[in-house]
């Protein structure tokens, strides 16, 4: 039995004892050291997405391999970060260097991963279900970590940091000296600011509805901070020689902020949709502006990353001190506190909440 955070329906969640599925030859059993509370987890609860229930939440996690199948190719004791976007290396997208669009990734979410106490089968969020003391996952869904990297905090490499830094580098293709606008400063948005800094952007204009995010934004690398307002595009032009931002990254996923990011992008610039939005909203563009402004509008999924390759690159930044894994973590909590973390997220408060497990002492050893 392992304790896990189970969603049984929209808005219905709680900690339960669950039984994980049996190990296969290519699987690993991982004691979870840290698991981040991501906005996509909230999307599984609040009706934005309609997953199959019951479901164990959690997809941004790190831990220690405690059991390995005969074909897993990983030793017991190895520190790992979980990867929810495992490419198949066989589909059209994988074959065309777009592993983040692999056609098997979304299908994998529907895999039964164990049973609740009453025998009901549950599914695992994004194939991982990592808001649990322990998971059983394919060995292909973990990326090894060096032992000296802080283990619990490394959880963020599996979603927020890979997504945010990747959005700036791979999707927006930020170049040294570019002006970059980031709207929405949750875990992913703050990591997009970090990605802009690592790419040499200047200025980096960070925007949020709450002025309480200014300190976190500046720590991540923002040169300017603005509270969201209807005059946002004018304020951004004032900081970018009247042109607008070379690259704008929208990390909210709402029609209003997508439209604001678009309007604040310069002629010929790039606007990247990073936020996961709802399908019952619409964004309007008029034909003349689409022609005149000559902007590019793209989305960024998982930072357009191949986790196996890009986590290694991020670890190099951790090693040379340019990437602080803990910089966006504002709340260290227990599994039962996740509903309260969702409430903070709804109110726009704080950065990342990180769940640790008193029963798994690995994070204390790291
Ligand atoms: Zn996530
Ligand atoms: Zn594929």
């Amino acid at each position: 039995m392992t304790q896990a955070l189970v969603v049984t329906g929209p808005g219905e969640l709680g900690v339960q004892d669950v039984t994980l599925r049996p190990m296969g030859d290519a699987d690993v059993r991982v004691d979870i050291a840290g698991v981040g509370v991501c906005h996509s987890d909230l999307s599984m609860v609040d009706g934005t997405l309609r997953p199959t229930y019951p479901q164990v939440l959690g997809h941004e996690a790190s831990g220690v391999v405690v059991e390995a199948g005969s074909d897993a190719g990983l030793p017991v004791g190895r520190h790992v970060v979980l990867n929810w976007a495992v490419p198949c290396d066989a589909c059209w997208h994988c074959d065309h260097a777009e592993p983040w669009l692999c056609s098997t990734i979304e299908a994998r979410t529907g895999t039964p991963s164990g049973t609740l106490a009453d025998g009901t089968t549950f599914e695992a969020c994004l194939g991982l279900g990592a808001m649990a003391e322990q998971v059983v996952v394919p060995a292909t869904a973990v990326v090894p970590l060096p032992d000296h990297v802080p283990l619990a905090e490394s959880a963020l490499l599996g979603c927020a940091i890979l997504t945010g830094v990747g959005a700036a580098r791979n999707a927006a293709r930020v170049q040294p000296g570019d002006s970059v606008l980031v709207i929405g400063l949750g875990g992913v948005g703050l990591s997009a600011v970090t990605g802009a800094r690592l790419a040499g952007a200047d200025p980096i204009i960070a925007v949020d509805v709450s002025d309480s995010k200014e300190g976190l934004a500046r720590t991540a690398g923002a040169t300017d901070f603005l509270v969201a307002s209807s005059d946002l595009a004018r304020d951004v032009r004032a900081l970018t020689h009247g042109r607008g931002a070379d690259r704008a990254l929208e990390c909210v996923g709402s029609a209003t902020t997508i439209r604001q990011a678009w309007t604040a992008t310069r002629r010929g610039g790039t606007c990247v949709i990073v936020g996961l939005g709802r399908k019952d909203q619409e964004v309007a563009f008029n034909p003349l502006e689409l022609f005149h402004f000559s902007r590019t509008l793209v989305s960024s999924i998982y930072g357009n990353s191949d986790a196996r390759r890009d986590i290694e690159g991020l670890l190099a930044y951790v090693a040379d001190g340019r990437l602080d894994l803990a910089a966006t973590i504002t709340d260290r909590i227990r599994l039962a506190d996740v509903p309260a973390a969702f409430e903070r997220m709804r109110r726009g408060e704080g950065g990342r909440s990180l769940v640790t497990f008193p029963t798994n002492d690995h994070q204390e050893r790291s």
Side-chain angles (χ1 to χ4, degrees):
M1 294 280 247
T2 187
Q3 288 216 309
L5 190 72
V6 184
V7 189
T8 48
E12 298 166 15
L13 68 164
V15 176
Q16 299 188 22
D17 285 326
V18 305
T19 302
L20 300 175
R21 67 173 174 83
M23 287 272 294
D25 289 344
D27 289 332
V28 287
R29 187 184 301 277
V30 178
D31 268 3
I32 299 297
V35 51
V37 182
C38 177
H39 205 276
S40 304
D41 293 306
L42 177 57
S43 298
M44 304 286 179
V45 179
D46 70 2
T48 303
L49 300 175
R50 296 259 168 208
T52 306
Y53 302 116
Q55 175 170 158
V56 173
L57 289 180
H59 60 277
E60 178 184 274
S62 56
V64 179
V65 175
V66 292
E67 186 181 352
S70 54
D71 296 334
L74 278 168
V76 167
R78 176 59 55 88
H79 291 187
V80 293
V81 56
L82 272 51
N83 169 17
W84 60 257
V86 184
C88 72
D89 293 325
C91 74
W92 189 92
H93 288 286
C94 285
D95 210 31
H96 289 75
E98 297 175 345
W100 57 93
L101 300 180
C102 172
S103 49
T104 68
I105 290 172
E106 289 184 355
R108 203 173 297 123
T109 296
T111 313
S113 293
T115 51
L116 307 183
D118 66 2
T120 311
T121 303
F122 69 81
E123 293 189 0
C125 177
L126 295 173
L128 299 179
M131 285 189 183
E133 293 171 300
Q134 199 174 71
V135 295
V136 171
V137 295
T140 51
V142 304
V143 177
L145 291 169
D147 285 349
H148 62 267
V149 174
L151 180 57
E153 291 81 0
S154 294
L156 275 66
L157 289 169
C159 192
I161 296 176
L162 197 62
T163 301
V165 173
R169 298 178 68 92
N170 303 333
R173 299 187 180 281
V174 175
Q175 302 298 313
D178 276 355
S179 55
V180 173
L181 169 68
V182 179
I183 301 179
L185 302 177
V188 170
L190 289 166
S191 296
V193 170
T194 302
R197 168 175 58 80
L198 291 170
D202 185 23
I204 301 169
I205 305 161
V207 179
D208 198 87
V209 289
S210 168
D211 62 5
S212 68
K213 297 289 181 79
E214 179 168 0
L216 284 165
R218 291 194 185 274
T219 300
T223 58
D224 298 271
F225 177 84
L226 299 172
V227 174
S229 79
S230 54
D231 292 330
L232 181 65
R234 187 199 62 194
D235 295 343
V236 171
R237 281 197 295 274
L239 292 166
T240 54
H241 307 283
R243 289 192 296 272
D246 295 320
R247 318 280 167 206
L249 294 113
E250 195 276 350
C251 302
V252 180
S254 89
T256 305
T257 44
I258 289 170
R259 184 64 231 194
Q260 284 183 323
W262 170 261
T263 308
T265 303
R266 71 160 164 85
R267 277 186 92 178
T270 301
C271 179
V272 182
I273 309 306
V274 188
L276 172 63
R278 307 172 66 96
K279 63 180 182 184
D280 56 3
Q281 294 186 351
E282 295 199 347
V283 189
F285 305 97
N286 71 61
L288 181 60
E289 68 172 334
L290 291 174
F291 179 83
H292 170 78
F293 286 105
S294 194
R295 297 168 178 138
T296 301
L297 182 65
V298 294
S299 84
S300 174
I301 296 177
Y302 209 21
N304 297 11
S305 304
D306 181 336
R308 300 167 299 188
R309 177 197 67 204
D310 292 345
I311 285 176
E312 205 165 311
L314 292 168
L315 286 167
Y317 289 127
V318 174
D320 72 14
R322 283 193 283 169
L323 177 60
D324 176 4
L325 295 170
T328 64
I329 299 170
T330 50
D331 297 271
R332 290 171 190 266
I333 62 175
R334 299 301 183 204
L335 199 54
D337 304 324
V338 171
F342 284 148
E343 287 307 316
R344 283 195 298 278
M345 195 177 268
R346 280 198 183 92
R347 292 195 299 267
E349 293 173 11
R352 218 28 154 205
S353 296
L354 183 73
V355 180
T356 57
F357 296 85
T359 46
N360 294 347
D361 65 349
H362 305 288
Q363 69 268 14
E364 323 299 345
R365 295 207 309 259
S366 68

